[in-house]
Each structure stands twice: as C-alpha cells, then as structure tokens.
Amino acid sequence: MAKHDAFSDRGDFRPVDLYREMFPNAHFILNTRPMGPWLYSMMRHRDRPHTRKHLENMILRRNSWFAKMLTMFDGDPRLTVVDITRPGAVNFGLSAAGLPEVELKPHSNAGPKEAQIKSQGAYDAVKDGPLGAFFDRPFLIPELLGPNEQPRKDWFETVRHNLA
C-alpha cells in the first residue's frame, strides 16, 4: 500500500474499524462542511433525480456516520475533524496528519447537472422543512440522533478539529 491513501465523501461505505486495526500508525481525517452545501454537492455527484425523502435519509445517514466515527475513535488521537469550508482547512488537516502544508489554487466546479436541476424542488422542500434549521451546521447534529447513537458529550473538547 502507498505511504498515503485517502477517501472522502463516501467514507460511510468503508470499513474504517478494520483500517484502524490494519494501520495502527494511520491518522484519519474526517472532512465535513455545512449540511446544505454538502447535500447540494451530493446531489451533483450522484447524477440522478432525488426525492425529498431520499435527501432527508442522506442527511440522517451522514449524521449517524459522524456519531459512529466519534464513538469509534473515542479517546483515540488519530482522528481529526476538518470543516473544509474554513480558511486554512486543508493545511490544518495536513498538519494534523504530520504532512507538509501545500499552496492551493482555486477551482470551480461546472454548473449544475440535469438531475441536480430536476431535484431542486426536493432540495428546497428539505431546506424549508424541519431539517432546514440545520443547513448551516457543519458537523454532528445531536438532535437528529437516537439515544443509542449519541457520542460522548465532551467530544468537542477531546477531538482535534477546526470547527467553530
């Protein structure tokens, strides 16, 4: 395996618990961003029409995944949470992993895809519904978790992060 390996966005489909065992010296970076822009990005990456229910399920699955990671890495300093929308986010993550900083060049994604445009109504319905209150939240939303999914209450103090 290469010296460095990475995956993003769809980490919830990876056996992170196995990776933790196989690579005891690895550092894990969980990238995040506010829920609304993340959801819109996911609509773009999965170029198919989405229903309101599907988008709501994506939000709930993402939130459960964050809680699972906090619980899995409880007390393990190998996890860093990075809000990629914050200034210096990439270099914060690199520094946490012991890697050198880089100079980034701005880039822009192309305009919305057809399926994303067709899903705009579903997106707006989610944004205007109860979950819309959380669209600016970049990470864990405890209010959306069941009692058995809640991570430690002091996780914010115990995990390295750049969250506000």
Side-chain angles (χ1 to χ4, degrees), residues 126-146:
V126 173
K127 186 175 182 181
D128 294 339
L131 293 178
F134 305 112
F135 263 42
D136 292 333
R137 301 259 294 267
F139 193 53
L140 187 71
I141 305 167
E143 300 94 298
L144 301 179
L145 296 171

Side-chain angles (χ1 to χ4, degrees), residues 47-114:
D47 192 22
R48 64 177 187 259
H50 299 279
T51 65
R52 176 182 181 165
K53 186 66 176 166
H54 181 249
L55 296 179
E56 290 171 342
N57 285 337
M58 287 172 59
I59 291 167
L60 296 174
R61 188 170 53 242
R62 172 191 193 234
N63 198 52
S64 291
W65 170 249
F66 288 158
K68 179 180 177 182
M69 290 299 95
L70 288 174
T71 300
M72 181 186 302
F73 282 91
D74 187 21
D76 187 339
R78 298 183 298 157
L79 176 68
T80 299
V81 178
V82 179
D83 177 351
I84 62 172
T85 65
R86 298 194 44 102
V90 171
N91 284 323
F92 173 81
L94 290 171
S95 173
L99 299 171
E101 292 187 359
V102 297
E103 184 176 333
L104 298 175
K105 297 177 182 165
H107 78 282
S108 173
N109 289 329
K113 294 181 178 181
E114 183 178 336

Side-chain angles (χ1 to χ4, degrees), residues 143-162:
E143 300 94 298
L144 301 179
L145 296 171
N148 295 332
E149 292 181 293
Q150 298 286 342
R152 276 180 26 181
K153 297 232 182 276
D154 66 344
W155 72 264
F156 199 79
E157 289 81 31
T158 63
V159 174
R160 186 175 188 174
H161 62 82
N162 73 337

